[in-house]
């Protein structure tokens, strides 16, 4: 009985592990966020943002549909506070970052 249970657990783990792995686009998006955004924004599911006025990325989907950020990222995000640098991303970078942001929803 124990052997059967262990085998079932192993099969379940093997079937779900690929679904838990990040796609290459999600990985590149996370790397971009880590390099360019994590100094001010939380880019994970639990930690607070290092800069209090910078929203955690996990909450962005509550403010904006993630897909709607593509245009702003292409044209350059400008905010009302001077500490936020202006970013203009290339289409591939936008896809990667949006793919990563969707993992935080």
């Amino acid at each position: 009985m124990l052997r059967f249970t262990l085998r079932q657990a192993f099969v379940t783990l093997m079937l779900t592990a690929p679904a838990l792995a990040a796609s290459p686009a999600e990985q590149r998006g996370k790397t971009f966020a880590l390099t360019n955004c994590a100094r001010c924004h939380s880019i994970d599911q639990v930690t607070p943002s290092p800069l209090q006025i910078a929203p955690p990325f996990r909450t962005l989907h509550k403010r904006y549909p993630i897909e709607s950020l593509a245009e702003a990222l292409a044209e350059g995000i400008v905010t009302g506070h001077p500490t936020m640098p202006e970013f203009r991303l290339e289409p591939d970078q936008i896809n990667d970052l949006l793919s990563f942001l969707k993992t935080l929803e």
Side-chain angles (χ1 to χ4, degrees), residues 37-44 46-59:
C37 312
R39 182 183 59 195
C40 299
H41 296 271
S42 170
I43 63 166
D44 63 32
V46 294
T47 60
S49 291
L51 182 62
Q52 189 174 8
I53 61 173
F57 277 9
R58 67 182 168 274
T59 66

Side-chain angles (χ1 to χ4, degrees), residues 6-21:
L6 289 174
R7 188 176 331 165
Q8 288 297 101
F10 179 75
V11 169
T12 300
L13 178 64
M14 295 307 291
L15 291 174
T16 59
L20 299 175

